Amino acid sequence: MQALDDKDETLLLALERNARASVVALAREIGLSRSATQDRLARLEQSGAIAGYTVLRGRADIRARLNAWLMIRHGPGGTCARTTAPLKKIPEVKGVQALAGDPDLLVQVSALDAADLGRIADTVRALPGVGEVTTHVVLADHLRR
């Protein structure tokens, strides 16, 4: 993969702010022609610098859901790779991070309500190699980028 230059970084930041911006608007922001910007986008997508485009749910929807973090400690035979693969198949799982130290994994989930959160946590507990799951409910969301 080719190193990212300042124009690439500016383009990526612009896309992080608004992934739906038109190529013309992006070109204007980074100071390149539309075709040069389109070429950069294609190169960044092919190189994996842009892994995809997604939707972030708005604040109104987030408040209607119960968001939480599950802290996972591996049990016997548990590894991050072994645990992460089935976690990716659970639609309520929004993020998975491996940590240095204790716990082993931090899993972000979004549930309909407390009962749904309990079901999700039970599903995670039942995965092979999972030893202990601690649930932390999000009370307030002060910063999202």
Side-chain angles (χ1 to χ4, degrees):
M1 182 173 119
Q2 172 179 343
L4 300 180
D5 64 17
D6 288 344
K7 295 283 188 191
D8 292 334
E9 290 292 345
T10 303
L11 179 56
L12 290 170
L13 287 171
L15 287 168
E16 286 175 359
R17 281 191 305 278
N18 181 6
R20 292 190 61 189
S22 70
V23 175
V24 171
L26 293 168
R28 193 175 308 119
E29 186 164 341
I30 65 173
L32 294 175
S33 69
R34 184 203 52 79
S35 61
T37 301
Q38 187 75 47
D39 291 344
R40 276 183 187 265
L41 282 170
R43 181 177 47 77
L44 291 168
E45 289 169 355
Q46 284 183 323
S47 72
I50 296 175
Y53 301 88
T54 189
V55 171
L56 294 176
R57 291 176 183 247
R59 297 247 182 241
D61 182 63
I62 287 171
R63 288 190 190 121
R65 299 187 64 82
L66 182 61
N67 295 296
W69 294 93
L70 304 181
M71 294 186 175
I72 298 175
R73 289 184 179 89
H74 295 310
T79 66
C80 290
R82 185 173 182 204
T83 306
T84 300
L87 285 172
K88 290 178 180 178
K89 295 178 183 173
I90 301 172
E92 296 88 356
V93 170
K94 302 303 177 189
V96 179
Q97 288 80 35
L99 304 177
D102 187 34
D104 299 300
L105 287 172
L106 187 60
V107 179
Q108 184 180 16
V109 299
S110 182
L112 294 172
D113 53 30
D116 193 38
L117 178 57
R119 178 194 59 77
I120 296 163
D122 288 344
T123 299
V124 171
R125 272 186 202 90
L127 296 176
V130 171
E132 182 181 329
V133 176
T134 306
T135 304
H136 298 270
V137 174
V138 174
L139 297 178
D141 190 13
H142 296 289
L143 175 66
R144 285 184 72 231
R145 291 190 178 156

